[in-house]
């Protein structure tokens, strides 16, 4: 599944004009319409649609992506008045530095952390989430089409649930179905989790 820079640019172009993903809208329902003084981390911000929505809602945002082009696409979506509340990091997940946050959002991004780095990266995420803060993100399951990719991380349901010791799981959903990706037909096996840190 590993993609070169041109593939990512093609991916961002295909996403142009899309609406924010349901996962972010679902977790934002737990918060007031405008959440000033709250901080969100958007891990794997991609084309920036979710980061832009968080900024519009008044959040301070750290947007993280390994692709410089992702940050470029994000900046095109952010108004001048909101840029003062935006920070960005171009970094691999194994190298990222995470500040304290009220929300960590990771839509379809965590599986792209290499397996050898995932445990330490997950501990960074847990440490960053403030008490009462939330994680909203997705993990790929072992029935996913890409499971043989050695650079990606996959989990069983039990392994995903074990990650949330010390959290109250507010939403847990499994998707196990055929679909498509940028590279053609694909079987998706995804666990989507919203959890609040105790």
């Amino acid at each position: 599944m590993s993609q070169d820079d041109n593939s990512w640019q093609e991916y961002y172009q295909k996403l142009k004009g899309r609406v924010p993903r349901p996962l972010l809208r679902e977790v934002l329902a737990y918060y007031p319409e405008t959440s000033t003084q709250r901080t969100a981390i958007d891990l794997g911000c991609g084309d920036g649609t979710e980061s832009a929505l968080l900024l519009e809602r008044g959040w301070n945002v750290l947007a993280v992506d390994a692709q410089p082009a992702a940050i470029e696409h994000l900046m095109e979506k952010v108004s001048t008045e909101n840029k003062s509340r935006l920070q960005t990091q171009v970094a691999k997940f194994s190298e990222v530095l995470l500040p304290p946050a009220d929300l960590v959002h990771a839509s379809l991004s965590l599986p792209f952390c290499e397996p050898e780095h995932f445990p330490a990266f997950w501990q960074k995420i847990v440490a960053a989430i403030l008490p009462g803060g939330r994680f909203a993100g997705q993990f790929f399951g072992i029935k996913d089409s890409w499971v043989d990719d050695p650079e990606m991380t996959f989990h069983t349901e039990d392994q995903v649930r074990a990650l949330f010791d010390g959290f109250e799981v507010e939403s847990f959903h499994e998707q196990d179905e055929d679909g498509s990706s940028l590279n053609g037909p694909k079987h998706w096996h995804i666990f989507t989790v919203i959890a609040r840190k105790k």
Side-chain angles (χ1 to χ4, degrees), residues 39-74:
T39 298
I41 299 172
D42 191 10
L43 291 172
C45 65
D47 68 331
T49 299
E50 285 71 33
S51 288
L53 176 60
L54 285 161
L55 289 164
E56 290 168 11
R57 294 285 187 91
W59 290 72
N60 299 303
V61 176
L62 169 62
V64 178
D65 205 284
Q67 302 296 323
I71 305 303
E72 294 171 12
H73 283 275
L74 165 59

Side-chain angles (χ1 to χ4, degrees), residues 75-94:
M75 298 305 288
E76 293 172 0
K77 295 178 169 67
V78 179
S79 66
T80 302
E81 63 195 64
N82 286 341
K83 285 182 179 176
S84 64
R85 288 184 286 102
L86 173 64
Q87 293 183 307
T88 62
Q89 279 188 44
V90 177
K92 292 183 176 181
F93 288 153
S94 58

Side-chain angles (χ1 to χ4, degrees), residues 98-170:
L98 302 181
D102 302 283
L103 171 63
V104 171
H105 171 262
S107 179
L108 299 174
S109 60
L110 297 187
F112 294 94
C113 180
E114 298 93 336
E116 63 268 30
H117 296 302
F118 187 89
F121 175 49
W122 180 251
Q123 289 308 310
K124 285 186 189 179
I125 293 173
V126 172
I129 300 172
L130 293 165
R134 287 182 172 86
F135 170 87
Q138 291 162 320
F139 306 84
F140 285 0
I142 58 174
K143 292 185 278 186
D144 195 274
S145 291
W146 294 336
V147 71
D148 292 328
D149 189 329
E151 296 182 2
M152 295 180 66
T153 297
F154 300 84
H155 292 86
T156 65
E157 178 177 345
D158 286 345
Q159 287 171 334
V160 173
R161 291 188 181 276
L163 294 173
F164 292 95
D165 182 39
F167 286 77
E168 175 193 354
V169 175
E170 297 173 312

